[in-house]
Amino acid sequence: MDFHEDVLARLTAVIASRKPGAGGDPEKSYVARLLTRGPDAFLKKIGEEATEVVMAAKDAEHGGARERVVAETADLWFHSMVALAYYGLSASDVLAELARREGLSGLVEKAQRQDRPHDPVAGR
């Protein structure tokens, strides 16, 4: 496991420890509060953070601080990891999916997804 995967693994563990079923206290933990409030809370944050990534990128295109793109992307990834945890998934699942796609043309991969029937359990 490289340094970056280790960071994701540690963050995954911290998020899992904040789940209400694992003793996470919504009065003391932002993650526990999001998870207790359910999908509407963390999905709203994902939407907000995605918008902030777009705005930071547009600003960077016109001379703004490129570091903001990184910071906003970190916020987006964090809130996405909260959503993954809620659904019993983790960053390693996302990394496995990216590894599966590695070496495929993006156009081919997208066509393959469109050719598969939608599986609501698997999210496809």
Side-chain angles (χ1 to χ4, degrees):
M1 182 177 294
D2 73 9
F3 170 77
H4 296 104
E5 288 178 22
D6 192 42
V7 169
L8 291 174
R10 286 194 311 269
L11 185 53
T12 295
V14 168
I15 291 169
S17 75
R18 302 295 197 268
K19 287 182 164 185
D25 182 353
E27 297 298 318
K28 296 179 182 174
S29 165
Y30 174 68
V31 171
R33 187 175 312 142
L34 283 174
L35 292 170
T36 298
R37 290 181 180 166
D40 285 347
F42 57 77
L43 295 175
K44 179 180 177 187
K45 286 301 296 180
I46 290 170
E48 290 171 4
E49 299 303 342
T51 299
E52 290 175 10
V53 169
V54 171
M55 292 177 1
K58 294 296 270 180
D59 288 347
E61 189 68 23
H62 299 285
R66 293 177 29 186
E67 295 80 12
R68 274 200 57 233
V69 178
V70 172
E72 297 301 346
T73 300
D75 291 345
L76 175 60
W77 285 15
F78 172 79
H79 288 91
S80 294
M81 289 178 70
V82 171
L84 288 167
Y86 181 87
Y87 294 109
L89 301 166
S90 71
S92 64
D93 295 309
V94 176
L95 293 174
E97 176 62 12
L98 289 171
R100 183 192 70 76
R101 296 178 185 186
E102 189 174 10
L104 284 178
S105 157
L107 297 174
V108 170
E109 194 281 327
K110 185 174 180 178
Q112 287 175 349
R113 278 188 283 151
Q114 292 173 347
D115 291 341
R116 291 189 302 237
H118 180 74
D119 178 352
V121 175
R124 297 196 167 136

